[in-house]
Amino acid sequence: MISAKKIEEKIFKILMYISFSLLSIALVSIIAVVFVKGLGALSFKMLFSVPQGGYYLGGEGGILNAILGSIAIGSIATLLSFLYAFCIVFYINVYRFSKSQFSRSVRFFLDILWGIPSIVYGAFGFGIMLIFKIPASLLAGALTLSFVILPIMARTMDETLRMIPFEMKQAAYSLGATRFEISYKVIIKQAFPGLLTAILLAFGRGIGDAASILMTASYTDSLPTSLLRPVATLPLCVFFQLSTPFKEVQERGYAAAFVLTILMLLVSLLARLSFKSFSKYVVK
Amino acid sequence: MGAKQPIKIENLSVSYGNQKVLKSINLEIPEKGITVILGPSGCGKSTLLKCFNRIIELEENVEVEGKLFVDGEDVLHPKTDLIVLRKKMGLLLQKPQVLPMSIYDNVAFGAKIHKNMKKKEADELVEKELRKVNLWDEVKERLKSPADKLSIGQQQRLCLARGLAVEPEIILGDEPTSALDPLSAEVIEKQFLNLKENYTIILVTHMLRQAKRLADFVAFIYLGELVEFNSAAEFFSNPKDERTKRYLSGLIAG
Amino acid sequence: MDELFFLKLKKRRKVNRFVRRFSFLMSLSVFCLFILICLMLFGSSFSLLRKDVFGVIFGTEWLPHQEKFGLLYFIWGSIYTTLLALIISVPISLFTAILISEYMPKKLAMNTKLIFDVLSGVSPVVYGFWGVMAIVPLTRNFIQPFLADNLHIKLFLSDNKSGFSVFSAAIVLAVMVSPLMVSISEEVLRAIPFEIRQATMSLGATKWEMVKKVLLKKGATGIVAAIILSFSRTVGETMAVLMVAGCQMSKMAISAFDPAYPLPALIANTFGETMSIPLYKSAIFLAAFILLILTLASNLFGWSILLRIEEEKS
């Protein structure tokens, strides 16, 4: 009897280890493939030049347009969604009770927005652009993208604000501060590391997203110089270059995948570090 | 400041949800001097204190009824200007709660939001207030360092200085020494004795001996009711209510 | 309190009132944004819906130039890839979650979760890249021939020898969604009180028996919620699927090695061509609307289960 139990446990333990290994191998092999393919395709010229003539047939050029484009669209979208989320989160935590009906419904709808696939945001943005006859551009893409990353930004900031000690608010209010003064003179300082984490998480998600900007930001071979022109991005660079039959062109896709992955891992790790140097005044 | 009327509380009741914490309190707190609100833990005395500057409204599901007059005006009236009201009162919490900024900014914060100040004015104010609480010599070399780095006792004195910088008329203390070491507690108590000439101080405590050391007047609250209010001398030597007698002789826990 | 104080107070009030009103409107706009998305997509697809709802949703012919917009094969493509991905991912994620929550030391478990978390943040396009570079060749050269040669069932027989198929897409999606599923199931298992585990363990059961008889039974609803939420995440995934699923509109995918053309890929691929034909545009917005409804419904369902578990606890 006992030995049968033991054998059963052994079998299932082995299954667990196999599952865990499979998943780990798969996840690690993603990074491995990106590194092996990407490092081979990397060169100074690749990183620091823009596509030249005959690019898609194997002509000269690199992916600088996509690198700068991704950073531009990611930063603008992050800034927009930060400002948006900032108002929301301070309103539902400072101007209203965190647990009030209103605040909870806002959170609920943020969660709903979080669940909407980014391609749907893309279609939404594209639809709005069709109605108002706006052409695909950096600005349109950044706006659409800012909606995609709004929930992750707002919910992360919200968690931070809910951690502010109640006594700290009491102390500040009892000095006669208005809610606005408490928000921007006290709570911001206490929540600063958390706000930074939210910004980085949202930025990381933003530069990785392609489905929402495919239709709204389009693609271009030139550097991002105007808000009203299309912009190149790393994910779309990977997508477009990979679908060509020419080896030289595909190499650019490899390089773009590599740069994109490095960027996202960096941002993701940064977001999870505790910001010691920025949290000088934070009260523990 | 002119002639002031005493603080008057009429039929003040507070409930959290269905639970009544304070049951129609009637009380008149004299101007200047230290009035101690005494009572065992959980009797509602902190709640009473938080009604004075309506900090209580920051909590959810609280219902406050009755009237509370400060300077002849009903504080609990919905039209009361909360900023003016709160500026009039400095609050010291049980656990010192410094703000996430430097020592200097902690003191200057309250004053600066109410009044535009030149740097020199602010410097002078910070020094003056920190001297009042005997903290200046300890921190004058590191005014720009985070307030969080101070010891708990120093933090509580900083909180007092922060409150005084706003130029209040009334100081509210919610067991302000209970989280402190005995030495820091003594320093804070001394500050109160110094300040009582110029301020009305309302102090919540459950420590009988502290009440004896500091009080000019004592209000004894038990299970949400005001049991007895009297001058300290009278209260301790000649208690009237049976419950007060039992509390003073240590028969009521807390 | 002098005149200057009141003068400043007036200004402070004004600023505060402005900020309050402004941020109230911003908060309110969260609802509006959601409603706007729904209305926009519904409105844009309305002209097609009005014409022929069933013909579109259950139609199989996709000939935009003849104004035939049957979405059934695309919907089927979405469901097929998603379900296959979940079939692959559920056991692996569940076993991994049990391993992490019950057998691993706490610190190691935390670090493992952190690494999963970081890796799951990698761009969908990079997952697609990995799919094209690793999974598609693996499918084409090894898995498909092996299964086709050894198991002669319809599920594994296909004319499509490219490797870009339902199967490849499902593998990539399974890997993408597993960290999410592991993390929800792990939380569900961890939340089961210590006393319940202890009671069983003290009866002389092995740890696995405890897991089987107590944890999986107690945690079953939570795990179901995890699966539903994972479904929602998977069904909307676009780029990775677009890159590896084949996306050819030849016939209905039956074999796992047939190419599939899921809804998100359809939207991403065809938006450029839609400008000229009004109904074509409607069809694409309808696809997005269907996707919205699918994800919304499954999210609400999943959350309501998790919510009920939380309420039962308290």
Side-chain angles (χ1 to χ4, degrees):
Chain A
M1 246 331 243
I2 290 172
S3 68
K5 274 189 193 174
K6 282 260 151 84
I7 290 169
E8 190 189 324
E9 170 148 53
K10 264 258 155 60
I11 292 171
F12 277 98
K13 245 180 141 172
I14 290 170
L15 278 175
M16 284 178 218
Y17 282 116
I18 291 175
S19 302
F20 179 70
S21 313
L22 274 176
L23 190 51
S24 308
I25 290 169
L27 288 169
V28 170
S29 79
I30 294 171
I31 304 297
V33 167
V34 169
F35 269 63
V36 169
K37 293 276 179 190
L39 281 175
L42 224 54
S43 67
F44 184 80
K45 210 167 72 193
M46 183 67 87
L47 290 178
F48 296 104
S49 64
V50 294
Q52 315 289 317
Y55 181 70
Y56 294 96
L57 302 169
E60 294 279 297
I63 56 169
L64 187 67
N65 57 330
I67 296 175
L68 292 182
S70 260
I71 291 173
I73 202 169
S75 310
I76 295 171
T78 306
L79 178 72
L80 291 174
S81 81
F82 177 75
L83 295 175
Y84 193 0
F86 193 81
C87 294
I88 298 171
V89 162
F90 273 84
Y91 187 76
I92 63 174
N93 285 295
V94 181
Y95 285 94
R96 301 256 184 162
F97 290 122
S98 291
K99 285 182 198 149
S100 69
Q101 192 67 42
F102 183 83
S103 303
R104 278 186 307 183
S105 352
V106 171
R107 275 187 207 108
F108 176 71
F109 274 85
L110 283 170
D111 285 346
I112 281 192
L113 289 178
W114 199 333
I116 296 178
S118 84
I119 186 76
V120 175
Y121 283 100
F124 169 66
F126 185 60
I128 298 284
M129 285 160 60
L130 282 182
I131 293 171
F132 295 103
K133 305 230 171 354
I134 307 166
S137 60
L138 171 55
L139 188 63
L143 268 167
T144 313
L145 193 57
S146 73
F147 290 137
V148 177
I149 60 180
L150 171 72
I152 186 168
M153 177 84 88
R155 290 297 264 130
T156 317
M157 285 164 74
D158 184 42
E159 290 303 319
T160 312
L161 252 59
R162 286 162 90 180
M163 302 280 274
I164 304 279
F166 180 63
E167 287 79 10
M168 186 177 283
K169 291 189 210 167
Q170 277 189 330
Y173 278 117
S174 69
L175 291 169
T178 62
R179 287 177 195 263
F180 172 65
E181 285 157 353
I182 284 170
S183 303
Y184 96 104
K185 284 183 173 151
V186 178
I187 296 183
I188 282 191
K189 285 188 179 138
Q190 178 73 6
F192 194 70
L195 298 184
L196 218 50
T197 302
I199 290 173
L200 283 169
L201 281 178
F203 180 72
R205 170 95 194 265
I207 54 170
D209 198 77
S212 64
I213 52 176
L214 180 65
M215 316 178 186
T216 51
S218 193
Y219 198 81
T220 172
D221 282 348
S222 47
L223 293 173
T225 48
S226 162
L227 281 174
L228 304 174
R229 291 242 205 86
V231 65
T233 45
L234 283 168
L236 289 178
C237 180
V238 178
F239 176 62
F240 287 135
Q241 320 293 29
L242 221 56
S243 52
T244 61
F246 301 100
K247 182 124 191 24
E248 294 82 358
V249 182
Q250 286 186 357
E251 294 257 301
R252 284 168 199 133
Y254 303 169
F258 178 78
V259 175
L260 178 60
T261 308
I262 292 287
L263 254 175
M264 292 189 75
L265 287 181
L266 263 179
V267 170
S268 178
L269 280 176
L270 257 173
R272 283 165 177 84
L273 286 180
S274 57
F275 292 98
K276 284 225 173 76
S277 48
F278 295 110
S279 55
K280 189 175 160 200
Y281 291 123
V282 170
V283 178
K284 269 138 217 131
Chain B
M1 283 181 206
K4 291 279 150 108
Q5 291 159 293
I7 297 171
K8 223 162 95 186
I9 303 173
E10 282 175 13
N11 283 324
L12 182 74
S13 297
V14 180
S15 41
Y16 287 91
N18 294 326
Q19 199 190 357
K20 243 191 171 157
V21 187
L22 285 178
K23 297 164 199 161
S24 72
I25 304 283
N26 285 290
L27 183 62
E28 217 168 283
I29 294 175
E31 208 213 334
K32 304 284 186 264
I34 301 179
T35 300
V36 167
I37 301 175
L38 188 65
S41 319
C43 68
K45 54 194 189 313
S46 293
T47 308
L48 176 60
L49 194 76
K50 285 176 190 161
C51 289
F52 284 94
N53 62 357
R54 286 177 57 182
I55 284 294
I56 190 144
E57 286 169 17
L58 299 178
E59 291 163 53
E60 278 171 272
N61 288 326
V62 186
E63 209 167 306
V64 183
E65 283 167 81
K67 290 198 163 87
L68 201 163
F69 293 97
V70 176
D71 292 345
E73 277 176 63
D74 181 13
V75 163
L76 299 177
H77 192 276
K79 285 220 169 122
T80 300
D81 189 320
L82 284 182
I83 291 173
V84 174
L85 171 71
R86 285 172 183 163
K87 186 182 175 302
K88 249 187 248 178
M89 306 187 189
L91 174 70
L92 269 189
L93 294 163
Q94 189 163 7
K95 190 177 146 277
Q97 182 67 60
V98 295
L99 299 175
M101 42 187 95
S102 67
I103 295 171
Y104 181 96
D105 288 337
N106 254 280
V107 181
F109 172 76
K112 269 186 179 167
I113 55 174
H114 293 299
K115 208 164 78 184
N116 295 325
M117 278 184 171
K118 293 200 187 75
K119 184 166 184 312
K120 201 165 157 250
E121 269 180 286
D123 288 349
E124 279 167 8
L125 176 81
V126 168
E127 180 173 347
K128 187 180 91 190
E129 300 304 340
L130 284 175
R131 277 190 196 284
K132 262 192 212 164
V133 297
N134 282 348
L135 199 58
W136 175 253
D137 292 325
E138 292 164 52
V139 299
K140 65 180 174 199
E141 305 295 331
R142 47 178 174 141
L143 287 172
K144 289 287 166 216
S145 70
D148 190 41
K149 295 279 187 298
L150 295 174
S151 75
I152 281 285
Q154 288 172 321
Q155 283 187 25
Q156 191 64 303
R157 276 183 279 156
L158 181 67
C159 290
L160 184 57
R162 180 183 68 193
L164 294 177
V166 186
E167 300 174 341
E169 297 156 22
I170 299 164
I171 296 172
L172 309 170
D174 186 3
E175 312 210 20
T177 62
S178 64
L180 308 187
D181 59 285
L183 271 176
S184 308
E186 200 186 318
V187 176
I188 292 280
E189 282 189 12
K190 259 190 201 145
Q191 310 301 333
F192 281 135
L193 290 172
N194 287 335
L195 293 168
K196 75 173 186 179
E197 304 297 323
N198 301 313
Y199 298 89
T200 305
I201 300 178
I202 304 172
L203 205 59
V204 157
T205 184
H206 66 274
M207 287 179 278
L208 206 52
R209 266 170 300 176
Q210 186 175 50
K212 279 183 183 163
R213 282 194 298 270
L214 299 177
D216 296 314
F217 296 90
V218 182
F220 176 55
I221 294 193
Y222 185 60
L223 297 177
E225 283 175 55
L226 177 70
V227 174
E228 191 166 342
F229 176 76
N230 220 328
S231 73
E234 210 34 30
F235 181 87
F236 288 114
S237 59
N238 190 14
K240 308 236 160 32
D241 195 282
E242 195 53 38
R243 288 167 290 182
T244 317
K245 282 179 199 161
R246 282 176 57 209
Y247 182 73
L248 289 177
S249 56
L251 287 171
I252 289 174
Chain C
M1 278 179 254
D2 48 16
E3 209 171 308
L4 280 175
F5 166 78
F6 284 106
L7 221 70
K8 187 168 186 200
L9 183 62
K10 219 172 161 186
K11 263 188 218 151
R12 292 165 63 199
R13 279 261 159 66
K14 229 185 207 165
V15 173
N16 190 50
R17 201 179 314 127
F18 173 75
V19 172
R20 190 187 65 221
R21 284 179 187 162
F22 182 71
S23 51
F24 170 66
L25 288 179
M26 291 301 253
S27 307
L28 215 58
S29 72
V30 173
F31 309 99
C32 303
L33 179 60
F34 171 68
I35 290 164
L36 197 65
I37 291 175
C38 294
L39 282 182
M40 214 249 89
L41 295 181
F42 181 74
S44 296
S45 50
F46 188 66
S47 56
L48 188 61
L49 280 175
R50 194 178 46 185
K51 213 177 134 212
D52 183 11
V53 187
F54 288 97
V56 171
I57 294 178
F58 299 105
T60 56
E61 273 184 301
W62 180 262
L63 300 162
H65 294 280
Q66 296 169 30
E67 301 213 331
K68 283 181 180 161
F69 304 101
L71 285 173
L72 189 66
Y73 285 173
F74 300 99
I75 297 172
W76 168 247
S78 269
I79 291 177
Y80 195 1
T81 43
T82 304
L83 286 186
L84 191 58
L86 288 181
I87 289 171
I88 298 166
S89 160
V90 166
I92 289 181
S93 303
L94 207 51
F95 277 130
T96 306
I98 295 171
L99 186 73
I100 291 177
S101 84
E102 303 303 315
Y103 290 88
M104 265 192 195
K106 226 179 190 145
K107 198 149 185 217
L108 185 63
M110 287 246 299
N111 289 329
T112 311
K113 269 168 35 184
L114 179 75
I115 292 172
F116 277 12
D117 198 26
V118 170
L119 289 179
S120 70
V122 168
S123 169
V125 168
V126 171
Y127 275 90
F129 177 78
W130 171 73
V132 173
M133 292 296 145
I135 298 304
V136 168
L138 194 71
T139 308
R140 179 175 55 219
N141 300 330
F142 299 101
I143 300 173
Q144 189 177 356
F146 177 81
L147 288 177
D149 290 347
N150 293 306
L151 295 162
H152 295 281
I153 51 174
K154 260 211 157 131
L155 184 62
F156 298 126
L157 295 174
S158 173
D159 303 333
N160 172 31
K161 307 284 189 220
S162 68
F164 291 91
S165 58
V166 173
F167 183 79
S168 301
I171 297 269
V172 175
L173 286 175
V175 175
M176 281 182 88
V177 81
S178 286
L180 175 75
M181 208 176 327
V182 169
S183 114
I184 304 178
S185 335
E186 200 262 356
E187 258 164 50
V188 167
L189 291 179
R190 204 173 276 269
I192 295 169
F194 182 69
E195 293 77 31
I196 299 180
R197 301 150 187 263
Q198 210 182 20
T200 330
M201 289 297 275
S202 61
L203 294 172
T206 60
K207 197 157 197 177
W208 167 249
E209 271 188 299
M210 192 270 292
V211 169
K212 188 173 67 176
K213 289 187 179 147
V214 182
L215 296 194
L216 290 185
K217 206 171 271 175
K218 284 260 167 205
T221 43
I223 290 163
V224 170
I227 295 171
I228 293 169
L229 292 176
S230 303
F231 169 83
S232 165
R233 176 75 65 88
T234 314
V235 83
E237 183 43 52
T238 309
M239 297 313 283
V241 173
L242 185 58
M243 290 164 84
V244 296
C247 297
Q248 285 162 25
M249 202 50 237
S250 48
K251 60 180 174 60
M252 184 170 166
I254 296 186
S255 160
F257 298 107
D258 285 340
Y261 206 157
L263 282 173
L266 172 74
I267 304 169
N269 251 352
T270 46
F271 76 92
E273 324 165 359
T274 60
M275 303 289 239
S276 48
I277 311 166
L279 278 181
Y280 198 172
K281 212 167 62 190
S282 289
I284 298 306
F285 283 115
L286 179 63
F289 188 62
I290 293 173
L291 213 53
L292 176 70
I293 299 292
L294 266 179
T295 50
L296 205 61
S298 47
N299 273 336
L300 289 177
F301 188 34
W303 290 333
S304 71
I305 294 177
L306 287 181
L307 205 70
R308 202 171 327 134
I309 296 174
E310 230 163 78
E311 269 167 14
E312 265 169 33
K313 238 183 274 156
S314 57

